[in-house]
Amino acid sequence: MGQILVVDDHRGSSRLLQSLLRPEGHGLQAAADGAEALRVIRAAPPDLVLMDVMMPRMTGLEACAAIKADPRTRLIPVVLITALESSEDRVRGIDAGADDFLSKPVNRHELLARVRSLLRLKRYTDELENAESVILSLALTVEARDGTTDDHCRRLAYYATAVGRRLGLPDDDIAALQRGGYLHDVGKIGIPDRILLKPGRLTRREFNVMKQHTIIGERLCGNLRSLEPVRPIVRHHHERLDGSGYPDGLRGDAIPLLAQIVGIVDVFDALTTRRPYKRAQSREQAAAELLDGVRRGLFRPDLVRTFLETAESTRNRGAVSRKPGRVTKRPGAVRVSAASRGEARR
Amino acid sequence: MIRRATAVDHDLRNHLAVILGLSEILLAGTTAGDPRRDDLEEIRDAATAALDLVAQLASELPAVRSLPEERRNPRAGGS
């Protein structure tokens, strides 16, 4: 059973579909054209959309493309129903992102079978999404364990994606940077408090435990296909070009690009944030330290340059501020972590 | 003329599909021996035959089917 939106400008056709679906116990909503369908979907997202193709004002193809272009609705399966049946129609439908097709007159058994299988798929993707939000909650829990920094993860996601855009990276990479910003330190959930929150310098043994957060984090993300692109960021954001980083001591181009970007932003943010064991440095000092890292062969010069340009231009616009009273405190936006503490304390 | 034919084809199928579909639903709700069954079967068969006729007519208008504008919005220049 699920919530199904029937979209058809022909009242009789809409009613027929609803009469076929109602005995199955589905919740039903109706819309008379594509534009109305989009309004209904945004107000109360259904589990499945059954939509006529030929409708006045906005066609089913246009509405389907709009549903699939919006990240909030793209996982809702859309079945296009058409009175005409040609492979050309199907190609257009596939281009618009349709998940399945039915031709008029709709065969009852065929309709119910498709609806059942697509609702099953929807439940599955919902569960995956839920699993992803559990992992995100874990990351925010890690932040919450140490309240000395403001919104570290949010800033990291913000700057990492801004750098990615400036470099002209594809949308998938930008999305990975966004998630990577939040999830990079999720593995710290597995690090004992006495090490994570230790005010003084870490011993060699403690630091070796701290390093494990990259491996633990990757493992936490490991079972989720949707987090696949984020795993390299989580595992490798502490690697350095000269091989001195961890956990694998990768060198040069062997370090994934997205992990290098997050690594640079992470260091900068850790330096400019106050910690129990150190004062916050000014942005100028932190920039100088990054450039020193370039000279020592730790970071790629072009990436550091792009990041510093990004940071400068956003500062001028006042985009992400840490000044008291200016930091947005949304519910659930948690204060931040021991950040790249292992890094900053070495 | 071509637009008009496409629009009629589309709308006719819609109407007939509703008659066919609802007659089937009503039929499924009757038990054997119900006197209304014969009438409902008559409605269903007539709708099926009419849908076949429409399909036959449409197949004789191949030029209509390949005009994307009309397919996008059959009511654009029609009723």
Side-chain angles (χ1 to χ4, degrees):
Chain A
M1 279 193 296
Q3 194 65 33
I4 300 175
L5 173 64
V6 175
V7 191
D8 202 316
D9 61 312
H10 185 246
R11 208 183 53 200
S13 303
S14 175
R15 181 168 169 172
L16 171 61
L17 283 172
Q18 295 181 60
S19 296
L20 289 168
L21 294 165
R22 192 167 293 114
E24 304 294 301
H26 300 300
L28 296 165
Q29 291 168 283
D33 61 57
E36 189 186 344
L38 292 181
R39 279 198 299 278
V40 172
I41 288 169
R42 283 182 191 131
D47 298 313
L48 176 67
V49 178
L50 295 175
M51 186 151 59
D52 187 29
V53 171
M54 292 191 221
M55 293 183 291
R57 292 184 288 280
M58 182 185 261
T59 68
L61 290 174
E62 290 162 341
C64 179
I67 292 167
K68 296 300 180 182
D70 185 338
R72 289 165 303 173
T73 57
R74 68 162 50 128
L75 293 178
I76 302 171
V78 177
V79 180
L80 290 177
I81 301 178
T82 171
L84 301 175
E85 195 177 0
S86 74
S87 61
E88 208 182 312
D89 287 324
R90 300 219 161 192
V91 170
R92 283 161 185 270
I94 290 166
D95 282 345
D99 295 88
D100 212 336
F101 301 90
L102 286 169
S103 353
K104 287 184 183 176
V106 172
N107 176 290
R108 177 172 173 270
H109 299 292
E110 205 181 343
L111 169 75
L112 298 182
R114 303 265 171 101
V115 165
R116 261 197 305 275
S117 89
L118 285 169
L119 285 177
R120 205 165 38 234
L121 183 74
K122 175 65 166 42
R123 267 198 299 278
Y124 186 59
T125 52
D126 282 352
E127 279 166 20
L128 270 184
E129 262 197 313
N130 289 341
E132 197 180 320
S133 39
V134 167
I135 300 228
L136 182 60
S137 313
L138 278 184
L140 295 174
T141 307
V142 170
E143 274 199 344
R145 283 165 75 185
D146 179 359
T148 55
T149 53
D150 275 321
D151 258 1
H152 169 68
C153 286
R154 189 176 62 87
R155 279 198 307 278
L156 213 58
Y158 177 86
Y159 281 117
T161 51
V163 169
R165 286 203 190 89
R166 201 173 264 252
L167 292 169
L169 299 182
D171 288 350
D172 288 349
D173 285 351
I174 304 293
L177 286 170
Q178 169 81 24
R179 288 167 164 170
Y182 279 97
L183 297 176
H184 69 293
D185 276 345
V186 66
K188 284 185 176 168
I189 199 86
I191 307 298
D193 277 355
R194 65 182 165 77
I195 295 177
L196 191 66
L197 306 178
K198 184 177 173 183
R201 200 181 163 81
L202 297 181
T203 65
R204 177 179 293 272
R205 184 174 294 176
E206 287 167 339
F207 188 58
N208 282 336
V209 175
M210 180 63 111
K211 285 179 180 175
Q212 292 296 311
H213 82 270
T214 51
I215 296 165
I216 297 168
E218 191 206 15
R219 209 181 305 141
L220 279 174
C221 300
N223 295 327
L224 287 181
R225 188 178 288 245
S226 61
L227 291 181
E228 193 92 12
V230 184
R231 287 173 60 185
I233 296 177
V234 175
R235 185 176 180 100
H236 297 301
H237 70 280
H238 284 289
E239 304 281 4
R240 298 295 173 251
L241 287 188
D242 64 354
S244 65
Y246 61 86
D248 299 316
L250 297 183
R251 287 170 179 272
D253 290 344
I255 308 169
L257 173 66
L258 303 185
Q260 291 192 46
I261 294 172
V262 169
I264 289 167
V265 183
D266 190 27
V267 167
F268 183 85
D269 201 74
L271 290 172
T272 52
T273 309
R274 193 182 63 80
R275 298 293 159 81
Y277 48 89
K278 70 170 188 64
R279 288 167 46 194
Q281 293 185 25
S282 71
R283 294 168 72 100
E284 289 69 26
Q285 286 170 320
E289 194 145 331
L290 276 184
L291 291 169
D292 186 54
V294 170
R295 272 189 297 278
R296 287 159 51 209
L298 303 183
F299 307 119
R300 255 172 63 175
D302 57 330
L303 296 181
V304 169
R305 197 168 51 241
T306 306
F307 166 66
L308 292 177
E309 285 166 9
T310 308
E312 193 53 35
S313 69
T314 50
R315 175 159 67 162
N316 292 340
R317 291 205 309 271
V320 175
S321 165
R322 218 194 321 247
K323 282 181 192 156
R326 290 194 62 189
V327 175
T328 326
K329 287 274 194 274
R330 294 162 316 206
V334 182
R335 282 160 62 81
V336 172
S337 78
S340 59
R341 184 158 181 184
E343 175 62 35
R345 277 204 283 199
R346 269 172 95 186
Chain B
M1 180 60 199
I2 290 174
R3 267 186 197 168
R4 178 85 186 137
T6 317
V8 169
D9 172 38
H10 174 264
D11 288 354
L12 212 49
R13 281 167 192 261
N14 264 343
H15 292 308
L16 291 169
V18 172
I19 296 172
L20 174 64
L22 290 177
S23 63
E24 281 174 341
I25 290 177
L26 290 173
L27 256 177
T30 59
T31 50
D34 188 320
R36 289 170 303 180
R37 275 193 80 89
D38 284 351
D39 296 345
L40 288 168
E41 276 169 2
E42 206 63 57
I43 295 172
R44 182 195 62 192
D45 295 346
T48 308
L51 271 166
D52 288 345
L53 270 178
V54 171
Q56 213 175 314
L57 280 173
S59 70
E60 286 165 22
L61 289 168
V64 180
R65 315 292 296 275
S66 61
L67 287 176
E69 250 332 288
E70 275 77 53
R71 191 180 303 117
R72 259 167 59 85
N73 192 349
R75 289 178 181 81
S79 49

